[in-house]
Amino acid sequence: MTTPPQRPRRGGILPDVRPISSVVHTVTGTAGRLAGNLHQAARRARLEGERRVLQRQHRAALEALGTRVVELTHDSALELPLGPEIATVEAKLMEIDAKTAEIESLGTPTPESPAAGM
């Protein structure tokens, strides 16, 4: 009859073996941190993408406003209301500011934020 292999004792050739629950605890903790970091990175990327879209819309609104001002200047009719174009430009700028604040609330400064040295 053969005897089953025995675990090495302290001071044996192999180092101490950690209990399986300790290994599982360490692995799940690491996995949780990685998942959290991944979630935060994905959220940051989504918010930055949305901010870029808003910045493009803001530039487009400014372009439309500029085109209208140029047309009115050429026609000497600057008395016409520019309210809708100005309101669109201001609304897009407020959306960009809100998105930037949301991104900054995630923790790390963006390259365009004052905290990054610009």
Side-chain angles (χ1 to χ4, degrees), residues 46-60:
R46 180 183 52 80
L47 290 172
E48 288 178 355
E50 290 174 2
R51 182 180 64 180
R52 282 189 219 102
V53 167
L54 292 170
Q55 287 172 332
R56 282 193 296 271
Q57 291 172 343
H58 179 253
R59 283 192 294 274

Side-chain angles (χ1 to χ4, degrees), residues 17-90:
V17 178
R18 293 189 337 187
I20 191 71
S21 62
S22 175
V23 172
V24 169
H25 179 72
T26 301
V27 169
T28 56
T30 302
R33 278 192 305 280
L34 290 174
N37 291 345
L38 180 62
H39 177 71
Q40 184 175 7
R43 183 168 185 234
R44 175 176 294 284
R46 180 183 52 80
L47 290 172
E48 288 178 355
E50 290 174 2
R51 182 180 64 180
R52 282 189 219 102
V53 167
L54 292 170
Q55 287 172 332
R56 282 193 296 271
Q57 291 172 343
H58 179 253
R59 283 192 294 274
L62 282 174
E63 182 181 352
L65 177 62
T67 301
R68 177 99 189 265
V69 168
V70 168
E71 290 171 358
L72 292 174
T73 303
H74 286 288
D75 295 341
S76 298
L78 215 77
E79 297 85 27
L80 293 176
L82 295 173
E85 289 86 354
I86 291 174
T88 302
V89 169
E90 290 175 349

